[in-house]
Amino acid sequence: MQEFKIQAECFQWHWNNFPDQRGRLFTVNNNAPSAYAGSVMKAMGVVAGVSDMIYLSAAGAVFLEFKDPKGKQSLSQKWWQGVVQEAVGYRYVDHPKRGGISSRCWLNVANLCISLTY
């Protein structure tokens, strides 16, 4: 399954199953449709490597990066992971099945881990 489909399915599943949490899970649109749009977005503050989605929990922000089984972090994504870890001390949690047979959507919300198997 393509990464954008995994992300969309995860968002829709969360939206439908947790209506009281709507607005807490959102996408970070950092993929420009053209070079011009990319330069405008960069001037407005878009940073390469930022996670695909952010979830706002009572314990803090959770940064979600979606990968299909063959997906790998880009250099800019690895750099941004380091920025987050250094700035706020967040531990980066890699997908437990990344590169494996199945893909999952994980939301680490305080002590609650919600998984959706594809």
Side-chain angles (χ1 to χ4, degrees):
M1 182 180 288
Q2 294 173 309
E3 290 175 13
F4 78 90
K5 289 182 180 179
I6 296 169
Q7 181 176 334
E9 200 167 322
C10 180
F11 175 80
Q12 292 165 8
W13 177 81
H14 186 268
W15 182 269
N16 292 332
N17 288 282
F18 297 91
D20 60 316
Q21 295 182 17
R22 289 180 180 166
R24 292 186 188 187
L25 177 64
F26 55 90
T27 192
V28 176
N29 186 7
N30 55 1
N31 296 314
S34 68
Y36 174 76
S39 65
V40 170
M41 290 170 66
K42 188 173 181 179
M44 293 171 54
V46 169
V47 175
V50 172
S51 63
D52 293 325
M53 298 186 89
I54 298 173
Y55 178 77
L56 303 175
S57 77
V62 177
F63 303 100
L64 301 164
E65 181 65 38
F66 292 86
K67 298 291 178 201
D68 63 25
K70 294 181 182 180
K72 295 181 181 178
Q73 278 186 302
S74 68
L75 289 177
S76 61
Q77 289 169 336
K78 289 178 182 180
W79 169 81
W80 192 77
Q81 173 187 334
V83 168
V84 169
Q85 289 172 321
E86 184 179 318
V88 292
Y90 281 24
R91 186 170 69 89
Y92 182 83
V93 180
D94 200 2
H95 187 288
K97 296 280 187 181
R98 202 166 130 226
I101 298 169
S102 65
S103 294
R104 291 177 184 250
C105 168
W106 284 84
L107 295 177
N108 188 357
V109 183
N111 293 321
L112 175 63
C113 188
I114 304 162
S115 66
L116 174 62
T117 304
Y118 294 91

